[in-house]
Amino acid sequence: MKTSNTLWKDRLNGQLPPQMAEEIDTFETEIELRRQGKLDEVIFAETRLRRGAYGQRYDNGQRYDGHETRTLAYAADKNTKGVNTVWDAPGMLRIKIPYGGINPKQLEVMAELAEEYSDGIAHVTTRQDFQLHFIHIDDTPTIMRRLAAVDITTREACGNSVRNITGCPYAGVCPDEKFDITPYAQALMQFLLGHPDAQNFGRKVKPTFSGCGQHACGLTAMHDLGYTAQTRMVDGKEQRGFCFVVGGGLGAVPFQAKVFDEFLPMEEMLPMAQAIARVFGRHGEKKNRSRARLKFLVKQWGIDKFKQEVLAERAKLPHDPRWTEFLSSIDSDIEKPLKPPSDLPALNGNEKINRWLKTNVRPQRQPGYSTVTVALPLGDLTADQLRSLADILRTFTTGTMRTTVEQNFVIRWISNADLPEVFEALSAVGLGEAGACNILDIVACPGTDTCKLGISSSRGLAAQLRKKLHEKCFELDEVIQNLHVKVSGCFNSCGQHHVADIGFYGVNRTVNGYQVPHFQVVLGGQWENNAGSYGMPIIAIASKRIPDALDRITDHYLRLREENESFQSFVKRIGKATIRQQLHDLTQNAPAYEQDPTFYTDWYDPREYSTGDIGKGECAGEVVTAYQFAMTDAERMVFEAQIHLEENKAQKAGSEAYASMLKAAKAIVQMRYDDVSNDAEEIVEEFRERYYDTKLIFDPYAGGKFANYFFAAHDKAEQPYTEESARHTIEEAQLFIEAIHACYNRMRQEGLSQT
Amino acid sequence: MELQHVNVKMFVDGPMNVDAERFIEIFHAWIKDHALDGLLIDVADYRHVPAGPGVMLIGLEGDYNMDHTGERWGLRYNRKAALDGTNEDRFRQAVNAAAKACHLLEETLASEGPLTFSRQEFELCINDRAIAPNTSETLSACQPDIESFLSNLLGHHDFTIDHNPDPRSLFRFSIKSAKLFDLKKLASDLTQ
Ligand code: SF4
């Protein structure tokens, strides 16, 4: 799209690391081959994903305009960059920032790229990456060259590869850490990037590093590979290593990682990762994407067998000097301060800065220095702000900053006396907002704004909640201020709703014959202790009523909490049933369309919410009532299963969750076959024949994944449930019920249902 | 020097009287109604970013946005696709596209804001650092084309060009005309 692409290629010739230059040249050739039809679109799609070039909403050339789905008139040559992905349609470029470390020069380049190729905005993701949106595929090699010139790669930012390695933004300066994880994260990144043993996965692998076990920074429990710093004394000498966990992950069905080794010596960090990559590449699921993450292999084998296989593989690995080479220089590259340590001067009654000092500034382990968190609304910032940050870094530090998984920045090594000046400098460019990491600092995935899988507008909801909270945030009780709110546009959990105090994920429902964006309210997750536990959905509420729901939940907590009771403990004590009851009326009495059409739209999107031209429903009363009644029952049952689980009744919980799936399946079978009995076998067979074999239940992206959860639950129905299997059955039942709702909505749109 | 990717910002005259949320609605309607030239794709809401791009209408050939960069509201058009012709032709196309959008906004919001755009001042920029690095050399090389374009556009020579010399910035300059220009005319007959 840019005419200057060849200029950049010439200008940067010889200035890039040779390997990166060669890889980008190769990608450029692949683009040309695809354009000429000489490279298969499926292969090209995976190629570009592994280079970080991702699809965006509407890139299939279709867009619903509020009345009908229309074709976007892209070029007539109909070239594609993947199945059903139009060549000229804007896409997203994900840029890897290992452990979030970024310097002023890199910030300036990011600013230039955001301005020249994107929409002027750089977006920080929940994996410490950057994303640029609305990028033309033809411009991507130039962007990659400009990034490579400042040592940044997009390689393996997407696709079935080892993704960005995340890490504590406070590494090296945190009072609680065992040691600085930075050089280890860097070593693992360099070792695995493009490693031949890490190219054969069925799905992505996400590693992370944490300096301690008690805080949330690394979120090790929700990663495929999680490394938490540990030390031990051997013969009077301190030895460094990691508590190494594997097989965690969020996504549709979240898994807590399992301990692989309580103390993995650092000499073993790289070879063990390599052995795991080999085992996962060889034995991990390849065909069924929904079962292809490492967590499923760990679950299927159990941690003991998994460990046995990995250790056997480790024993066979030919020695690689890189495994330990990095250790000789491990402490040589430690960040240094620019200024001497100092004390914070007295600040007389300046409320704004005092508030900011309280919420955004933390003392470092090194006396006289602090870290400063720069809160980015929804993870976004402008090119001008990026340049100003580069200036601030150069003025006050030796020049590195970290992105965070909460979509913020952490500036380190600020000498305390400089804090007022830093505050002024940040405020001058709109980056001095207080409230970092509190209830105002809401994390949201891209959702329906740009993500192809988005169901509801996560960013729209987050923006609305921010707007509402902004007015009163600092008047709220401190326990409310300290809550974490996270929003995902769908069940895939990119907004990490499972580990929020209060999480939301997008679903849709039919109300009065119209589709209405909803969010499932997820409670009970734990951000601390490295994402110590996951929340579960309790009720789906229309998007426009979520702000009221949040108010109710927080009011309830404030009124009824016991002294020093955390939100998570409160939810446990009060019980989800009570909270659900408190919110129940928000699911009732939806306004008629004529009375309030905005109820039927999403936040800050005036289009009637839908993916097709539904129009007003022509309800045949009886049948709709029967279907809705049964589905309400199914939802109730899956909720009750959660309560059983909370009461440590795993068997009852699992059975109830399975029964809820049967209920939902029967509800939709009955729409085509009234006489289906209550016999489980019959329901499964009828469902399979009418909805699975016909692909009616298939999700446009996930295919038959959710129906397969049902079949699997049926096959295992006679087996005893453990706490873990019951939990998974509940999660899967929830998703299966959502799939039935979605199927019902699709059938209505396509006129396959009379109801 | 061949200039491409011209970017124009027409400033709002006086205070902004319209809640920026309204532009979301208008831009969605423009997509539906094919209200502007070229393929219009989507709306992006960046109102939460201070001094940012505000509300954007993403297009294939060019983007439009109700922009708040520099804490000054204005309608920005950013030409993304390359264009044949002369530099003057490319300046003209971008100004024309921006003026059309401004005119349409003024009409749409006549009874609400009202919203009016300046008839004396606008900003031009080349959104490409390889083509036009922000240097005095670029300014010297482009000045004849810029002046010729502006005198043809405005119908007089009574204007000033103020170049922003920040080396990190895009090649950008603001134009102030001593006489009022006719926005409707800029929106209609520039190609003649
Ligand atoms: S959670 Fe869903 S909507 Fe959000 S980015 Fe992930 S896939 Fe997209």
Side-chain angles (χ1 to χ4, degrees):
Chain A
M1 209 68 172
K2 284 276 188 191
T3 50
S4 58
N5 286 337
T6 48
L7 291 175
W8 278 112
K9 190 169 181 181
D10 294 345
R11 183 180 295 186
L12 294 173
N13 190 16
Q15 292 184 37
L16 311 186
Q19 198 190 335
M20 282 168 113
E22 194 185 319
E23 285 167 11
I24 298 166
D25 288 348
T26 304
F27 181 52
E28 197 167 45
T29 308
E30 286 162 345
I31 288 179
E32 191 47 39
L33 288 173
R34 176 64 206 139
R35 204 202 314 270
Q36 294 172 14
K38 292 178 184 159
L39 185 62
D40 180 77
E41 63 177 0
V42 175
I43 295 169
F44 180 71
E46 180 59 18
T47 302
R48 76 172 155 74
L49 286 170
R50 288 188 188 207
R51 303 285 165 203
Y54 214 78
Q56 241 183 251
R57 209 167 176 89
Y58 315 125
D59 67 6
N60 61 356
Q62 303 284 315
R63 182 179 182 276
Y64 181 71
D65 67 9
H67 295 263
E68 59 181 325
T69 299
R70 291 213 200 160
T71 300
L72 296 168
Y74 286 108
D77 72 1
K78 299 272 186 283
N79 201 357
T80 61
K81 48 189 176 187
V83 177
N84 221 2
T85 310
V86 180
W87 191 264
D88 276 333
M92 176 266 277
L93 189 69
R94 187 174 293 149
I95 298 162
K96 270 174 137 176
I97 309 293
Y99 55 87
I102 191 159
N103 64 39
K105 188 71 214 141
Q106 292 170 330
L107 288 170
E108 285 168 342
V109 169
M110 205 67 73
E112 292 181 359
L113 301 178
E115 253 168 358
E116 292 178 49
Y117 302 94
S118 179
D119 52 6
I121 290 286
H123 176 76
V124 175
T125 75
T126 53
R127 285 202 62 72
Q128 297 177 293
D129 296 296
F130 271 89
Q131 279 180 190
L132 299 176
H133 292 98
F134 304 108
I135 299 283
H136 196 285
I137 186 74
D138 290 342
D139 291 335
T140 53
T142 302
I143 301 176
M144 290 170 192
R145 287 191 179 99
R146 292 176 73 174
L147 286 166
V150 288
D151 266 330
I152 294 180
T153 185
T154 63
R155 182 163 185 194
E156 295 169 6
C158 311
N160 301 328
S161 55
V162 179
R163 300 294 186 84
N164 194 37
I165 294 181
T166 55
C168 300
Y170 303 103
V173 299
C174 176
D176 299 326
E177 71 184 1
K178 292 281 187 199
F179 55 84
D180 182 355
I181 54 84
T182 309
Y184 303 93
Q186 176 73 15
L188 186 65
M189 184 277 291
Q190 276 169 346
F191 182 68
L192 290 179
L193 185 71
H195 195 292
D197 288 340
Q199 304 301 312
N200 191 31
F201 302 155
R203 285 300 303 275
K204 58 194 167 188
V205 170
K206 295 178 175 178
T208 191
F209 284 80
S210 194
C212 74
Q214 66 270 38
H215 296 303
C217 311
L219 303 168
T220 49
M222 52 177 246
H223 279 77
D224 297 283
L225 310 176
Y227 300 85
T228 303
Q230 301 284 340
T231 52
R232 67 182 177 191
M233 296 305 282
V234 178
D235 299 334
K237 251 184 98 184
E238 187 185 84
Q239 191 185 21
R240 287 179 179 183
F242 296 98
C243 172
F244 181 40
V245 295
V246 296
L250 294 183
V253 180
F255 284 61
Q256 286 275 337
K258 301 272 185 289
V259 176
F260 182 95
D261 196 332
E262 293 282 359
F263 191 93
L264 180 73
M266 54 192 174
E267 294 79 6
E268 280 302 303
M269 180 181 80
L270 300 185
M272 206 60 80
Q274 186 181 352
I276 287 176
R278 283 190 171 196
V279 169
F280 180 49
R282 199 175 303 138
H283 299 284
E285 173 65 47
K286 296 284 190 331
K287 288 199 185 97
N288 181 356
R289 281 178 64 79
S290 62
R291 293 267 157 188
R293 290 287 296 273
L294 183 66
K295 61 189 179 184
F296 292 105
L297 185 61
V298 174
K299 184 190 172 198
Q300 187 195 332
W301 281 358
I303 187 67
D304 293 337
K305 180 177 175 195
F306 179 79
K307 188 169 171 179
Q308 211 180 336
E309 292 283 336
V310 171
L311 291 177
E313 190 65 39
R314 164 70 187 94
K316 284 189 276 179
L317 285 180
H319 181 75
D320 184 337
R322 292 179 300 165
W323 289 344
T324 48
E325 262 169 11
F326 74 98
L327 294 172
S328 56
S329 57
I330 209 85
D331 286 327
S332 64
D333 203 19
I334 299 287
E335 273 177 51
K336 302 271 187 320
L338 182 67
K339 311 257 194 108
S342 57
D343 293 330
L344 179 68
L347 299 161
N348 298 327
N350 182 334
E351 195 193 335
K352 264 193 172 172
I353 189 170
N354 281 327
R355 199 179 265 171
W356 176 81
L357 285 168
K358 191 170 167 201
T359 57
N360 295 39
V361 175
R362 275 172 57 159
Q364 288 190 187
R365 182 173 75 233
Q366 299 82 1
Y369 294 97
S370 295
T371 61
V372 165
T373 300
V374 181
L376 303 177
L378 309 187
D380 292 338
L381 79 170
T382 65
D384 286 339
Q385 288 176 322
L386 284 162
R387 281 188 283 266
S388 298
L389 275 172
D391 293 339
I392 290 168
L393 285 189
R394 286 191 178 109
T395 308
F396 298 101
T397 74
T398 49
T400 60
M401 184 169 73
R402 307 278 169 112
T403 56
T404 78
V405 295
E406 291 185 280
Q407 302 178 297
N408 292 327
F409 288 122
V410 170
I411 308 177
R412 306 128 57 85
W413 291 107
I414 300 291
S415 181
N416 286 341
D418 286 338
L419 285 167
E421 224 183 306
V422 171
F423 174 69
E424 289 306 324
L426 289 170
S427 300
V429 290
L431 292 172
E433 187 173 83
C437 311
N438 79 3
I439 193 168
L440 188 62
D441 196 8
I442 298 168
V443 168
C445 76
T448 51
D449 276 18
T450 50
C451 174
K452 294 209 262 192
L453 305 180
I455 293 173
S456 306
S457 177
S458 41
R459 279 166 61 87
L461 175 64
Q464 177 61 21
L465 294 176
R466 271 180 56 81
K467 192 171 156 188
K468 197 174 147 111
L469 288 164
H470 210 270
E471 294 149 18
K472 58 172 188 181
C473 176
F474 296 100
E475 286 148 33
L476 294 171
D477 191 285
E478 202 152 325
V479 294
I480 304 296
Q481 284 188 39
N482 291 336
L483 294 176
H484 294 272
V485 177
K486 296 175 191 291
V487 192
S488 300
C490 77
F491 51 79
N492 277 313
S493 199
C494 303
Q496 301 173 340
H497 58 260
H498 284 108
V499 290
D501 293 302
I502 304 171
F504 302 104
Y505 73 87
V507 294
N508 75 353
R509 292 283 187 275
T510 300
V511 179
N512 293 334
Y514 295 88
Q515 285 188 63
V516 176
H518 277 59
F519 281 91
Q520 279 282 1
V521 180
V522 180
L523 297 183
Q526 192 186 25
W527 181 245
E528 289 72 25
N529 295 320
N530 273 304
S533 66
Y534 298 152
M536 292 189 100
I538 63 160
I539 194 166
I541 292 176
S543 188
K544 292 292 171 80
R545 288 178 170 175
I546 290 290
D548 292 341
L550 183 64
D551 275 351
R552 292 242 189 123
I553 295 166
T554 52
D555 287 351
H556 203 53
Y557 173 46
L558 201 55
R559 271 190 297 111
L560 301 178
R561 75 188 278 269
E562 290 174 350
E563 207 183 335
N564 297 327
E565 190 176 33
S566 72
F567 184 74
Q568 205 204 8
S569 311
F570 166 78
V571 171
K572 220 172 184 173
R573 178 173 62 79
I574 287 287
K576 288 174 185 156
T578 311
I579 300 175
R580 182 181 161 96
Q581 191 52 40
Q582 287 274 328
L583 300 174
H584 180 71
D585 65 301
L586 293 175
T587 66
Q588 306 294 302
N589 303 323
Y593 184 87
E594 296 71 21
Q595 196 188 334
D596 182 9
T598 63
F599 183 81
Y600 299 82
T601 63
D602 215 331
W603 288 108
Y604 305 117
D605 187 339
R607 292 172 293 171
E608 182 185 287
Y609 175 80
S610 176
T611 49
D613 189 13
I614 308 169
K616 196 170 175 188
E618 296 168 11
C619 264
E622 253 341 80
V623 184
V624 172
T625 307
Y627 167 81
Q628 287 180 329
F629 187 71
M631 289 303 285
T632 309
D633 260 357
E635 286 184 332
R636 176 188 50 74
M637 289 161 80
V638 75
F639 178 75
E640 281 169 0
Q642 287 189 44
I643 305 293
H644 296 320
L645 191 63
E646 276 183 351
E647 292 164 353
N648 297 321
K649 296 173 187 157
Q651 186 58 36
K652 222 171 163 186
S655 306
E656 190 73 1
Y658 163 61
S660 75
M661 289 165 127
L662 270 179
K663 183 65 124 181
K666 185 179 172 190
I668 201 146
V669 166
Q670 271 186 313
M671 291 179 62
R672 309 200 128 196
Y673 176 45
D674 279 338
D675 295 324
V676 64
S677 74
N678 279 330
D679 176 59
E681 230 31 83
E682 190 189 347
I683 294 171
V684 169
E685 279 329 299
E686 290 295 340
F687 176 79
R688 191 190 299 277
E689 188 189 319
R690 291 166 196 280
Y691 289 91
Y692 190 83
D693 294 344
T694 58
K695 297 194 174 172
L696 275 172
I697 189 69
F698 276 36
D699 180 272
Y701 292 97
K705 170 176 168 174
F706 305 118
N708 285 324
Y709 290 161
F710 172 45
F711 298 138
H714 176 67
D715 290 341
K716 290 183 298 194
E718 299 303 317
Q719 293 172 19
Y721 289 95
T722 61
E723 192 200 325
E724 189 177 30
S725 69
R727 185 181 175 89
H728 287 152
T729 309
I730 292 170
E731 292 281 355
E732 290 173 348
Q734 189 76 50
L735 293 164
F736 177 68
I737 289 168
E738 294 301 343
I740 298 283
H741 278 297
C743 174
Y744 171 75
N745 289 335
R746 280 196 302 275
M747 285 168 60
R748 283 178 56 84
Q749 283 167 38
E750 290 163 17
L752 297 175
S753 156
Q754 302 299 307
T755 61
Chain B
M1 178 179 256
E2 180 181 306
L3 302 175
Q4 291 281 0
H5 314 302
V6 180
N7 180 303
V8 182
K9 182 170 178 179
M10 311 289 273
F11 296 105
V12 167
D13 206 12
M16 173 72 146
N17 297 320
V18 179
D19 182 342
E21 188 178 341
R22 182 77 174 91
F23 299 110
I24 298 176
E25 205 176 314
I26 293 172
F27 289 171
H28 273 287
W30 285 3
I31 297 175
K32 183 165 80 64
D33 301 338
H34 302 288
L36 297 171
D37 299 334
L39 174 62
L40 304 176
I41 301 170
D42 199 14
V43 179
D45 178 9
Y46 291 120
R47 289 171 301 142
H48 53 278
V49 182
V55 179
M56 300 199 69
L57 172 53
I58 306 291
L60 175 65
E61 298 87 355
D63 296 336
Y64 298 81
N65 61 309
M66 208 51 211
D67 182 80
H68 196 226
T69 313
E71 300 205 344
R72 207 171 158 193
W73 284 103
L75 183 287
R76 190 185 286 284
Y77 172 73
N78 177 40
R79 178 75 194 183
K80 298 195 286 191
L83 274 176
D84 290 338
T86 64
N87 286 339
E88 261 198 63
D89 293 336
R90 288 182 279 269
F91 281 130
R92 195 177 295 125
Q93 183 278 334
V95 169
N96 182 235
K100 272 185 182 161
C102 290
H103 181 57
L104 208 50
L105 280 176
E106 285 188 346
E107 280 192 337
T108 308
L109 295 167
S111 61
E112 298 172 43
L115 179 72
T116 45
F117 289 91
S118 170
R119 263 66 175 169
Q120 279 192 287
E121 199 187 353
F122 61 97
E123 180 187 280
L124 280 176
C125 158
I126 302 302
N127 191 4
D128 194 307
R129 286 176 172 81
I131 291 177
N134 196 26
T135 59
S136 50
E137 290 78 36
T138 305
L139 184 63
S140 312
C142 300
Q143 194 127 5
D145 282 351
I146 297 168
E147 287 182 356
S148 159
F149 161 68
L150 288 173
S151 49
N152 286 333
L153 180 85
L154 302 171
H156 58 81
H157 296 274
D158 208 357
F159 53 81
T160 56
I161 299 172
D162 188 12
H163 173 235
N164 170 359
D166 177 357
R168 292 191 302 183
S169 163
L170 290 164
F171 177 56
R172 173 179 287 145
F173 44 95
S174 47
I175 293 118
K176 270 196 184 131
S177 166
K179 301 173 194 165
L180 297 182
F181 53 76
D182 181 348
L183 186 73
K184 201 169 169 190
K185 196 157 170 254
L186 299 196
S188 59
D189 65 357
L190 284 182
T191 49
Q192 291 160 20

